[in-house]
Amino acid sequence: MEMVESKHKWKAWIYLSPAIILLLFFTVWPIINTVRMAFLENYSGLKAVGGASFSFGIGNFQKVLKYQKFLQCLKNTVILCVITVPVSTVLALLIAVCLNSIKFLQKPLQTIFFLPYVTNSIAIGMVFAAMFNIVGSFYGTENEIVVTAGIINNIIEFFGGKRINWINTGSTYLANMTVMIVYIVWNALPFKILILLGGLQSINKQYYDAARVDGTSRRRIFTRITVPLLSPMIAYVVITGFIGGFKEYTSIVGIFGEKMGPADDAGRLNTMVGFIYDALSTNNQGRASAAALILFGIILVVTLINMQVSKKRVHY
């Protein structure tokens, strides 16, 4: 019997070996190499190929923490996470509850809400840039300069408001962050709606039937039944939301381009991941690796805090 089991184990290892080899080569080794480069002072790939040697130390971490642009990137990342994750989670919960209660056209509406999740982030960012953009200027019939605005400013002007410079030259930091928050929240909704809607459909209907028999209000049903029973899914989308938020990069590139900000203030909206890419583009792999480990540490701490809070708030 033991001989048969050992043969089956060897077969399992053989079947798994291609995936294990790929994981070791493309996941495990890059992580180990990143840690190694982070602790090599001023490590550069080109210099290493040329035969240069690097001393072991924490100089890369010190330079990253003292670098002024790093603090700006950290600030942008934290602001985007702290605002977008709670807002998108609450909106996704409300939309999921509404979709779950609507039987007519439920499937088509689910498909519509999920479409942004399967669409390229850069393409969506370009659409948002056109919506908030001041498209350009041209001369009218009497040689006056006419500025055409995106749909958002057109809506604001239709209701009597004044045009806002959201993302163009001369725009404010607040306007830029507002656009990014709107985009990130909208882009984060599909995945969260899908998870929460699946959780809602798995809740036993007897809880709701008993509450209706007792004459419980809809608000109390939502706060006392729906949210507690849905708390594991809510905790999951919050944790994954923070992890994704700290890795935010493509959405900003989609709207502002590689400059990560308006033309007159390039890098204004740069994030932690953008900081790492900038260091790699200058062939400073040591600094990029140190920044990546710092980002990993921040995500790890935030995740552990969320998991600790979840133990007290989540009802399984």
Side-chain angles (χ1 to χ4, degrees):
M1 188 69 179
E2 293 181 359
M3 182 74 69
V4 175
E5 288 183 358
S6 62
K7 287 182 178 179
H8 284 298
K9 288 182 180 178
W10 278 109
K11 286 182 179 180
W13 281 110
I14 292 172
Y15 294 146
L16 288 172
S17 58
I20 293 173
I21 292 171
L22 290 174
L23 284 173
L24 290 173
F25 190 76
F26 291 106
T27 303
V28 177
W29 166 244
I31 293 174
I32 296 173
N33 196 35
T34 299
V35 175
R36 180 184 70 87
M37 291 188 295
F39 288 96
L40 294 178
E41 301 277 359
N42 298 318
Y43 181 85
S44 172
L46 287 177
K47 293 180 181 178
V49 172
S53 58
F54 307 92
S55 59
F56 184 85
I58 59 172
N60 290 326
F61 294 92
Q62 293 174 341
K63 289 180 179 178
V64 168
L65 294 175
K66 291 179 180 178
Y67 198 51
Q68 184 63 34
K69 289 185 178 181
F70 170 81
L71 298 177
Q72 179 66 29
C73 295
L74 180 61
K75 172 188 171 185
N76 293 336
T77 305
V78 171
I79 290 175
L80 290 175
C81 281
V82 170
I83 297 177
T84 60
V85 173
V87 172
S88 61
T89 302
V90 171
L91 287 177
L93 178 59
L94 296 176
I95 294 172
V97 170
C98 293
L99 283 176
N100 191 50
S101 62
I102 297 173
K103 302 303 179 184
F104 179 67
L105 294 178
Q106 187 182 72
K107 297 298 181 182
L109 287 174
Q110 290 179 25
T111 303
I112 292 171
F113 275 107
F114 193 68
L115 281 176
Y117 187 73
V118 295
T119 307
N120 184 273
S121 298
I122 300 295
I124 298 175
M126 294 174 67
V127 172
F128 265 75
M131 291 170 59
F132 286 91
N133 196 14
I134 297 176
V135 177
S137 61
F138 59 91
Y139 287 96
T141 55
E142 298 180 1
N143 292 329
E144 76 277 11
I145 297 178
V146 179
V147 179
T148 57
I151 187 173
I152 301 300
N153 275 324
N154 287 333
I155 294 173
I156 293 173
E157 291 178 336
F158 177 80
F159 288 100
K162 293 183 179 180
R163 182 179 298 168
I164 299 174
N165 185 359
W166 295 104
I167 61 176
N168 298 91
T169 301
S171 58
T172 63
Y173 178 77
L174 179 61
N176 298 159
M177 290 299 290
T178 301
V179 175
M180 291 312 310
I181 289 169
V182 171
Y183 168 74
I184 294 172
V185 167
W186 181 82
N187 197 33
L189 284 177
F191 176 74
K192 295 183 178 182
I193 292 173
L194 180 69
I195 298 297
L196 295 175
L197 187 59
L200 282 170
Q201 293 174 348
S202 66
I203 295 176
N204 195 327
K205 304 302 179 184
Q206 291 180 353
Y207 294 110
Y208 295 107
D209 294 337
R212 292 190 186 97
V213 170
D214 293 338
T216 308
S217 64
R218 290 186 177 182
R219 180 179 179 183
R220 192 168 180 82
I221 290 174
F222 177 76
T223 56
R224 296 297 183 180
I225 297 178
T226 302
V227 173
L229 293 178
L230 208 60
S231 56
M233 291 75 176
I234 295 174
Y236 172 75
V237 298
V238 168
I239 291 173
T240 54
F242 273 106
I243 293 173
F246 275 105
K247 297 189 295 182
E248 198 63 57
Y249 175 72
T250 55
S251 59
I252 301 171
V253 172
I255 293 178
F256 290 94
E258 294 181 357
K259 292 183 178 180
M260 304 288 283
D264 59 333
D265 193 0
R268 176 192 286 178
L269 297 178
N270 203 358
T271 59
M272 291 286 291
V273 175
F275 178 88
I276 295 170
Y277 279 127
D278 291 341
L280 289 174
S281 65
T282 58
N283 199 41
N284 199 332
Q285 288 82 5
R287 183 185 297 174
S289 299
L293 289 184
I294 292 172
L295 177 59
F296 169 76
I298 294 172
I299 294 175
L300 179 63
V301 170
V302 173
T303 303
L304 291 175
I305 292 173
N306 279 322
M307 292 180 68
Q308 193 64 32
V309 172
S310 299
K311 291 180 180 178
K312 300 179 180 179
R313 299 291 182 181
V314 174
H315 304 275
Y316 292 100

